[in-house]
Structures are given as C-alpha cells and as structure tokens.
PDB file of all heavy atoms in Angstrom:
ATOM      1  N   GLY A   1       0.779  -1.224   0.002  1.00  0.00           N
ATOM      2  CA  GLY A   1       0.003   0.005   0.003  1.00  0.00           C
ATOM      3  C   GLY A   1       0.825   1.277   0.007  1.00  0.00           C
ATOM      4  O   GLY A   1       0.232   2.359  -0.060  1.00  0.00           O
ATOM      5  N   CYS A   2       2.117   1.188   0.045  1.00  0.00           N
ATOM      6  CA  CYS A   2       2.969   2.368   0.037  1.00  0.00           C
ATOM      7  C   CYS A   2       3.115   2.920  -1.381  1.00  0.00           C
ATOM      8  O   CYS A   2       3.040   2.184  -2.354  1.00  0.00           O
ATOM      9  CB  CYS A   2       4.353   2.043   0.565  1.00  0.00           C
ATOM     10  SG  CYS A   2       4.430   1.664   2.306  1.00  0.00           S
ATOM     11  N   SER A   3       3.382   4.186  -1.482  1.00  0.00           N
ATOM     12  CA  SER A   3       3.702   4.786  -2.776  1.00  0.00           C
ATOM     13  C   SER A   3       5.070   4.326  -3.204  1.00  0.00           C
ATOM     14  O   SER A   3       5.854   3.792  -2.457  1.00  0.00           O
ATOM     15  CB  SER A   3       3.615   6.289  -2.696  1.00  0.00           C
ATOM     16  OG  SER A   3       4.682   6.778  -1.881  1.00  0.00           O
ATOM     17  N   TYR A   4       5.378   4.570  -4.491  1.00  0.00           N
ATOM     18  CA  TYR A   4       6.649   4.118  -5.053  1.00  0.00           C
ATOM     19  C   TYR A   4       7.817   4.765  -4.346  1.00  0.00           C
ATOM     20  O   TYR A   4       8.795   4.106  -3.983  1.00  0.00           O
ATOM     21  CB  TYR A   4       6.642   4.427  -6.552  1.00  0.00           C
ATOM     22  CG  TYR A   4       7.997   4.267  -7.201  1.00  0.00           C
ATOM     23  CD1 TYR A   4       8.568   2.990  -7.331  1.00  0.00           C
ATOM     24  CD2 TYR A   4       8.697   5.366  -7.677  1.00  0.00           C
ATOM     25  CE1 TYR A   4       9.800   2.848  -7.957  1.00  0.00           C
ATOM     26  CE2 TYR A   4       9.923   5.179  -8.280  1.00  0.00           C
ATOM     27  CZ  TYR A   4      10.470   3.945  -8.404  1.00  0.00           C
ATOM     28  OH  TYR A   4      11.700   3.804  -9.015  1.00  0.00           O
ATOM     29  N   GLY A   5       7.766   6.066  -4.134  1.00  0.00           N
ATOM     30  CA  GLY A   5       8.861   6.768  -3.464  1.00  0.00           C
ATOM     31  C   GLY A   5       9.092   6.310  -2.044  1.00  0.00           C
ATOM     32  O   GLY A   5      10.211   6.125  -1.588  1.00  0.00           O
ATOM     33  N   GLU A   6       7.995   6.083  -1.337  1.00  0.00           N
ATOM     34  CA  GLU A   6       8.079   5.636   0.061  1.00  0.00           C
ATOM     35  C   GLU A   6       8.609   4.196   0.123  1.00  0.00           C
ATOM     36  O   GLU A   6       9.363   3.840   1.000  1.00  0.00           O
ATOM     37  CB  GLU A   6       6.710   5.737   0.710  1.00  0.00           C
ATOM     38  CG  GLU A   6       6.709   5.476   2.185  1.00  0.00           C
ATOM     39  CD  GLU A   6       5.320   5.617   2.769  1.00  0.00           C
ATOM     40  OE1 GLU A   6       4.449   6.236   2.103  1.00  0.00           O
ATOM     41  OE2 GLU A   6       5.108   5.128   3.880  1.00  0.00           O
ATOM     42  N   ALA A   7       8.167   3.365  -0.866  1.00  0.00           N
ATOM     43  CA  ALA A   7       8.620   1.987  -0.883  1.00  0.00           C
ATOM     44  C   ALA A   7      10.085   1.849  -1.216  1.00  0.00           C
ATOM     45  O   ALA A   7      10.704   0.835  -0.875  1.00  0.00           O
ATOM     46  CB  ALA A   7       7.779   1.199  -1.882  1.00  0.00           C
ATOM     47  N   LEU A   8      10.657   2.839  -1.890  1.00  0.00           N
ATOM     48  CA  LEU A   8      12.109   2.781  -2.158  1.00  0.00           C
ATOM     49  C   LEU A   8      12.922   3.179  -0.926  1.00  0.00           C
ATOM     50  O   LEU A   8      14.012   2.660  -0.730  1.00  0.00           O
ATOM     51  CB  LEU A   8      12.461   3.751  -3.289  1.00  0.00           C
ATOM     52  CG  LEU A   8      12.224   3.263  -4.679  1.00  0.00           C
ATOM     53  CD1 LEU A   8      12.618   4.311  -5.673  1.00  0.00           C
ATOM     54  CD2 LEU A   8      12.962   1.979  -4.953  1.00  0.00           C
ATOM     55  N   ILE A   9      12.382   4.059  -0.111  1.00  0.00           N
ATOM     56  CA  ILE A   9      13.118   4.565   1.051  1.00  0.00           C
ATOM     57  C   ILE A   9      13.057   3.585   2.233  1.00  0.00           C
ATOM     58  O   ILE A   9      14.039   3.410   2.943  1.00  0.00           O
ATOM     59  CB  ILE A   9      12.603   5.939   1.451  1.00  0.00           C
ATOM     60  CG1 ILE A   9      12.941   6.935   0.329  1.00  0.00           C
ATOM     61  CG2 ILE A   9      13.181   6.403   2.768  1.00  0.00           C
ATOM     62  CD1 ILE A   9      12.311   8.302   0.513  1.00  0.00           C
ATOM     63  N   LEU A  10      11.886   2.977   2.464  1.00  0.00           N
ATOM     64  CA  LEU A  10      11.706   2.111   3.652  1.00  0.00           C
ATOM     65  C   LEU A  10      12.743   1.012   3.773  1.00  0.00           C
ATOM     66  O   LEU A  10      13.313   0.828   4.812  1.00  0.00           O
ATOM     67  CB  LEU A  10      10.293   1.542   3.669  1.00  0.00           C
ATOM     68  CG  LEU A  10       9.231   2.404   4.226  1.00  0.00           C
ATOM     69  CD1 LEU A  10       7.868   1.757   4.074  1.00  0.00           C
ATOM     70  CD2 LEU A  10       9.479   2.746   5.684  1.00  0.00           C
ATOM     71  N   PRO A  11      13.028   0.206   2.726  1.00  0.00           N
ATOM     72  CA  PRO A  11      13.965  -0.909   2.919  1.00  0.00           C
ATOM     73  C   PRO A  11      15.402  -0.468   3.195  1.00  0.00           C
ATOM     74  O   PRO A  11      16.185  -1.220   3.774  1.00  0.00           O
ATOM     75  CB  PRO A  11      13.938  -1.667   1.578  1.00  0.00           C
ATOM     76  CG  PRO A  11      12.645  -1.277   0.961  1.00  0.00           C
ATOM     77  CD  PRO A  11      12.372   0.105   1.436  1.00  0.00           C
ATOM     78  N   GLU A  12      15.755   0.764   2.809  1.00  0.00           N
ATOM     79  CA  GLU A  12      17.120   1.232   3.046  1.00  0.00           C
ATOM     80  C   GLU A  12      17.440   1.366   4.548  1.00  0.00           C
ATOM     81  O   GLU A  12      18.570   1.214   4.960  1.00  0.00           O
ATOM     82  CB  GLU A  12      17.333   2.592   2.396  1.00  0.00           C
ATOM     83  CG  GLU A  12      17.394   2.489   0.875  1.00  0.00           C
ATOM     84  CD  GLU A  12      17.626   3.841   0.242  1.00  0.00           C
ATOM     85  OE1 GLU A  12      17.989   4.788   0.991  1.00  0.00           O
ATOM     86  OE2 GLU A  12      17.469   3.932  -0.979  1.00  0.00           O
ATOM     87  N   PHE A  13      16.436   1.621   5.346  1.00  0.00           N
ATOM     88  CA  PHE A  13      16.639   1.836   6.772  1.00  0.00           C
ATOM     89  C   PHE A  13      16.266   0.604   7.634  1.00  0.00           C
ATOM     90  O   PHE A  13      16.239   0.723   8.843  1.00  0.00           O
ATOM     91  CB  PHE A  13      15.863   3.060   7.231  1.00  0.00           C
ATOM     92  CG  PHE A  13      16.338   4.317   6.561  1.00  0.00           C
ATOM     93  CD1 PHE A  13      15.562   4.904   5.558  1.00  0.00           C
ATOM     94  CD2 PHE A  13      17.535   4.871   6.887  1.00  0.00           C
ATOM     95  CE1 PHE A  13      16.003   6.055   4.929  1.00  0.00           C
ATOM     96  CE2 PHE A  13      17.991   6.012   6.262  1.00  0.00           C
ATOM     97  CZ  PHE A  13      17.227   6.606   5.262  1.00  0.00           C
ATOM     98  N   MET A  14      15.965  -0.502   6.993  1.00  0.00           N
ATOM     99  CA  MET A  14      15.660  -1.712   7.705  1.00  0.00           C
ATOM    100  C   MET A  14      16.955  -2.529   7.905  1.00  0.00           C
ATOM    101  O   MET A  14      17.762  -2.623   6.962  1.00  0.00           O
ATOM    102  CB  MET A  14      14.642  -2.555   6.971  1.00  0.00           C
ATOM    103  CG  MET A  14      13.282  -1.930   6.906  1.00  0.00           C
ATOM    104  SD  MET A  14      12.119  -3.025   6.094  1.00  0.00           S
ATOM    105  CE  MET A  14      10.729  -1.957   5.987  1.00  0.00           C
ATOM    106  N   PRO A  15      17.136  -3.123   9.045  1.00  0.00           N
ATOM    107  CA  PRO A  15      18.398  -3.823   9.341  1.00  0.00           C
ATOM    108  C   PRO A  15      18.427  -5.289   8.849  1.00  0.00           C
ATOM    109  O   PRO A  15      19.071  -6.100   9.482  1.00  0.00           O
ATOM    110  CB  PRO A  15      18.475  -3.747  10.865  1.00  0.00           C
ATOM    111  CG  PRO A  15      17.046  -3.815  11.290  1.00  0.00           C
ATOM    112  CD  PRO A  15      16.277  -3.041  10.254  1.00  0.00           C
ATOM    113  N   TYR A  16      17.734  -5.572   7.775  1.00  0.00           N
ATOM    114  CA  TYR A  16      17.655  -6.944   7.316  1.00  0.00           C
ATOM    115  C   TYR A  16      18.453  -7.150   6.051  1.00  0.00           C
ATOM    116  O   TYR A  16      18.589  -6.268   5.213  1.00  0.00           O
ATOM    117  CB  TYR A  16      16.176  -7.362   7.050  1.00  0.00           C
ATOM    118  CG  TYR A  16      15.286  -7.106   8.216  1.00  0.00           C
ATOM    119  CD1 TYR A  16      14.181  -6.284   8.133  1.00  0.00           C
ATOM    120  CD2 TYR A  16      15.556  -7.678   9.464  1.00  0.00           C
ATOM    121  CE1 TYR A  16      13.369  -6.048   9.207  1.00  0.00           C
ATOM    122  CE2 TYR A  16      14.746  -7.459  10.556  1.00  0.00           C
ATOM    123  CZ  TYR A  16      13.662  -6.648  10.407  1.00  0.00           C
ATOM    124  OH  TYR A  16      12.854  -6.406  11.474  1.00  0.00           O
ATOM    125  N   LYS A  17      18.970  -8.369   5.837  1.00  0.00           N
ATOM    126  CA  LYS A  17      19.840  -8.679   4.741  1.00  0.00           C
ATOM    127  C   LYS A  17      19.101  -8.618   3.391  1.00  0.00           C
ATOM    128  O   LYS A  17      19.672  -8.253   2.375  1.00  0.00           O
ATOM    129  CB  LYS A  17      20.467 -10.019   5.015  1.00  0.00           C
ATOM    130  CG  LYS A  17      20.617 -10.965   3.887  1.00  0.00           C
ATOM    131  CD  LYS A  17      21.245 -12.246   4.354  1.00  0.00           C
ATOM    132  CE  LYS A  17      20.573 -13.421   3.654  1.00  0.00           C
ATOM    133  NZ  LYS A  17      21.247 -14.669   3.874  1.00  0.00           N
ATOM    134  N   MET A  18      17.824  -8.956   3.380  1.00  0.00           N
ATOM    135  CA  MET A  18      17.081  -9.026   2.127  1.00  0.00           C
ATOM    136  C   MET A  18      16.441  -7.704   1.726  1.00  0.00           C
ATOM    137  O   MET A  18      15.801  -7.636   0.697  1.00  0.00           O
ATOM    138  CB  MET A  18      15.982 -10.082   2.255  1.00  0.00           C
ATOM    139  CG  MET A  18      16.511 -11.476   2.465  1.00  0.00           C
ATOM    140  SD  MET A  18      17.759 -11.997   1.270  1.00  0.00           S
ATOM    141  CE  MET A  18      16.794 -12.163  -0.194  1.00  0.00           C
ATOM    142  N   SER A  19      16.657  -6.652   2.469  1.00  0.00           N
ATOM    143  CA  SER A  19      16.056  -5.368   2.131  1.00  0.00           C
ATOM    144  C   SER A  19      16.582  -4.857   0.781  1.00  0.00           C
ATOM    145  O   SER A  19      15.811  -4.229   0.021  1.00  0.00           O
ATOM    146  CB  SER A  19      16.378  -4.317   3.205  1.00  0.00           C
ATOM    147  OG  SER A  19      15.789  -4.730   4.408  1.00  0.00           O
ATOM    148  N   TYR A  20      17.859  -5.118   0.493  1.00  0.00           N
ATOM    149  CA  TYR A  20      18.424  -4.647  -0.791  1.00  0.00           C
ATOM    150  C   TYR A  20      17.719  -5.340  -1.971  1.00  0.00           C
ATOM    151  O   TYR A  20      17.364  -4.687  -2.973  1.00  0.00           O
ATOM    152  CB  TYR A  20      19.920  -4.912  -0.827  1.00  0.00           C
ATOM    153  CG  TYR A  20      20.564  -4.578  -2.135  1.00  0.00           C
ATOM    154  CD1 TYR A  20      20.731  -3.232  -2.509  1.00  0.00           C
ATOM    155  CD2 TYR A  20      20.923  -5.568  -3.028  1.00  0.00           C
ATOM    156  CE1 TYR A  20      21.302  -2.916  -3.727  1.00  0.00           C
ATOM    157  CE2 TYR A  20      21.486  -5.255  -4.233  1.00  0.00           C
ATOM    158  CZ  TYR A  20      21.672  -3.939  -4.578  1.00  0.00           C
ATOM    159  OH  TYR A  20      22.211  -3.651  -5.804  1.00  0.00           O
ATOM    160  N   LEU A  21      17.515  -6.644  -1.888  1.00  0.00           N
ATOM    161  CA  LEU A  21      16.885  -7.363  -2.996  1.00  0.00           C
ATOM    162  C   LEU A  21      15.407  -6.971  -3.151  1.00  0.00           C
ATOM    163  O   LEU A  21      14.915  -6.935  -4.277  1.00  0.00           O
ATOM    164  CB  LEU A  21      17.016  -8.864  -2.791  1.00  0.00           C
ATOM    165  CG  LEU A  21      18.410  -9.418  -2.949  1.00  0.00           C
ATOM    166  CD1 LEU A  21      18.460 -10.885  -2.618  1.00  0.00           C
ATOM    167  CD2 LEU A  21      18.957  -9.163  -4.342  1.00  0.00           C
ATOM    168  N   ILE A  22      14.742  -6.673  -2.090  1.00  0.00           N
ATOM    169  CA  ILE A  22      13.359  -6.196  -2.161  1.00  0.00           C
ATOM    170  C   ILE A  22      13.313  -4.843  -2.858  1.00  0.00           C
ATOM    171  O   ILE A  22      12.440  -4.591  -3.701  1.00  0.00           O
ATOM    172  CB  ILE A  22      12.720  -6.145  -0.779  1.00  0.00           C
ATOM    173  CG1 ILE A  22      12.622  -7.537  -0.159  1.00  0.00           C
ATOM    174  CG2 ILE A  22      11.315  -5.501  -0.814  1.00  0.00           C
ATOM    175  CD1 ILE A  22      11.733  -8.502  -0.893  1.00  0.00           C
ATOM    176  N   SER A  23      14.250  -3.961  -2.523  1.00  0.00           N
ATOM    177  CA  SER A  23      14.266  -2.641  -3.213  1.00  0.00           C
ATOM    178  C   SER A  23      14.594  -2.798  -4.674  1.00  0.00           C
ATOM    179  O   SER A  23      14.072  -2.029  -5.488  1.00  0.00           O
ATOM    180  CB  SER A  23      15.265  -1.692  -2.497  1.00  0.00           C
ATOM    181  OG  SER A  23      16.568  -2.211  -2.616  1.00  0.00           O
ATOM    182  N   GLN A  24      15.391  -3.783  -5.055  1.00  0.00           N
ATOM    183  CA  GLN A  24      15.666  -4.049  -6.455  1.00  0.00           C
ATOM    184  C   GLN A  24      14.407  -4.546  -7.173  1.00  0.00           C
ATOM    185  O   GLN A  24      14.161  -4.179  -8.337  1.00  0.00           O
ATOM    186  CB  GLN A  24      16.791  -5.068  -6.610  1.00  0.00           C
ATOM    187  CG  GLN A  24      18.149  -4.579  -6.143  1.00  0.00           C
ATOM    188  CD  GLN A  24      18.595  -3.359  -6.951  1.00  0.00           C
ATOM    189  OE1 GLN A  24      18.594  -3.381  -8.166  1.00  0.00           O
ATOM    190  NE2 GLN A  24      19.011  -2.314  -6.230  1.00  0.00           N
ATOM    191  N   LEU A  25      13.600  -5.333  -6.490  1.00  0.00           N
ATOM    192  CA  LEU A  25      12.343  -5.776  -7.082  1.00  0.00           C
ATOM    193  C   LEU A  25      11.358  -4.624  -7.270  1.00  0.00           C
ATOM    194  O   LEU A  25      10.610  -4.590  -8.239  1.00  0.00           O
ATOM    195  CB  LEU A  25      11.697  -6.868  -6.217  1.00  0.00           C
ATOM    196  CG  LEU A  25      12.236  -8.274  -6.376  1.00  0.00           C
ATOM    197  CD1 LEU A  25      11.531  -9.206  -5.402  1.00  0.00           C
ATOM    198  CD2 LEU A  25      12.010  -8.750  -7.782  1.00  0.00           C
ATOM    199  N   ILE A  26      11.358  -3.676  -6.353  1.00  0.00           N
ATOM    200  CA  ILE A  26      10.494  -2.505  -6.459  1.00  0.00           C
ATOM    201  C   ILE A  26      10.907  -1.670  -7.671  1.00  0.00           C
ATOM    202  O   ILE A  26      10.064  -1.215  -8.443  1.00  0.00           O
ATOM    203  CB  ILE A  26      10.522  -1.689  -5.152  1.00  0.00           C
ATOM    204  CG1 ILE A  26       9.893  -2.474  -4.025  1.00  0.00           C
ATOM    205  CG2 ILE A  26       9.796  -0.348  -5.364  1.00  0.00           C
ATOM    206  CD1 ILE A  26      10.125  -1.884  -2.684  1.00  0.00           C
ATOM    207  N   LEU A  27      12.211  -1.506  -7.826  1.00  0.00           N
ATOM    208  CA  LEU A  27      12.710  -0.779  -9.008  1.00  0.00           C
ATOM    209  C   LEU A  27      12.335  -1.484 -10.306  1.00  0.00           C
ATOM    210  O   LEU A  27      11.951  -0.855 -11.291  1.00  0.00           O
ATOM    211  CB  LEU A  27      14.216  -0.636  -8.941  1.00  0.00           C
ATOM    212  CG  LEU A  27      14.767   0.396  -7.943  1.00  0.00           C
ATOM    213  CD1 LEU A  27      16.297   0.303  -7.861  1.00  0.00           C
ATOM    214  CD2 LEU A  27      14.374   1.799  -8.360  1.00  0.00           C
ATOM    215  N   SER A  28      12.404  -2.808 -10.292  1.00  0.00           N
ATOM    216  CA  SER A  28      12.064  -3.586 -11.490  1.00  0.00           C
ATOM    217  C   SER A  28      10.583  -3.488 -11.822  1.00  0.00           C
ATOM    218  O   SER A  28      10.194  -3.328 -12.983  1.00  0.00           O
ATOM    219  CB  SER A  28      12.470  -5.048 -11.277  1.00  0.00           C
ATOM    220  OG  SER A  28      12.081  -5.820 -12.366  1.00  0.00           O
ATOM    221  N   ALA A  29       9.733  -3.550 -10.793  1.00  0.00           N
ATOM    222  CA  ALA A  29       8.280  -3.413 -11.028  1.00  0.00           C
ATOM    223  C   ALA A  29       7.936  -2.043 -11.582  1.00  0.00           C
ATOM    224  O   ALA A  29       7.070  -1.924 -12.470  1.00  0.00           O
ATOM    225  CB  ALA A  29       7.515  -3.704  -9.752  1.00  0.00           C
ATOM    226  N   ALA A  30       8.602  -1.007 -11.087  1.00  0.00           N
ATOM    227  CA  ALA A  30       8.351   0.353 -11.586  1.00  0.00           C
ATOM    228  C   ALA A  30       8.847   0.509 -13.007  1.00  0.00           C
ATOM    229  O   ALA A  30       8.183   1.147 -13.827  1.00  0.00           O
ATOM    230  CB  ALA A  30       9.036   1.358 -10.667  1.00  0.00           C
ATOM    231  N   ALA A  31       9.980  -0.070 -13.328  1.00  0.00           N
ATOM    232  CA  ALA A  31      10.478  -0.030 -14.705  1.00  0.00           C
ATOM    233  C   ALA A  31       9.556  -0.786 -15.649  1.00  0.00           C
ATOM    234  O   ALA A  31       9.351  -0.332 -16.801  1.00  0.00           O
ATOM    235  CB  ALA A  31      11.905  -0.583 -14.760  1.00  0.00           C
ATOM    236  N   ASN A  32       9.020  -1.899 -15.217  1.00  0.00           N
ATOM    237  CA  ASN A  32       8.075  -2.650 -16.037  1.00  0.00           C
ATOM    238  C   ASN A  32       6.805  -1.851 -16.299  1.00  0.00           C
ATOM    239  O   ASN A  32       6.237  -1.873 -17.384  1.00  0.00           O
ATOM    240  CB  ASN A  32       7.714  -3.992 -15.382  1.00  0.00           C
ATOM    241  CG  ASN A  32       8.878  -4.956 -15.404  1.00  0.00           C
ATOM    242  OD1 ASN A  32       9.822  -4.804 -16.157  1.00  0.00           O
ATOM    243  ND2 ASN A  32       8.836  -5.936 -14.522  1.00  0.00           N
TER     244      ASN A  32
END
C-alpha cells in the first residue's frame, strides 16, 4: 500500500539482509 517513493526509502533503513533485494524488485516493477 505504500507509494513508489516511500517503498524505495523504507527498505534502506531496515536492518535486514534481504532489504536490498526487495528494493531491487520494487525498481524492477516500476520499470516494467
């Protein structure tokens, strides 16, 4: 339910290892 800009920022500040790959998927969905 987050907007695209908010969804890009949220994983950067999470202390989890998979946050980077989730942000890459968000970028890919937006590019598609």
Side-chain angles (χ1 to χ4, degrees):
C2 291
S3 67
Y4 169 69
E6 187 178 345
L8 279 181
I9 293 173
L10 277 176
E12 290 182 12
F13 298 105
M14 292 183 188
Y16 306 122
K17 140 181 140 171
M18 297 308 289
S19 296
Y20 175 74
L21 290 176
I22 296 297
S23 63
Q24 293 299 310
L25 278 177
I26 293 168
L27 285 173
S28 177
N32 290 341

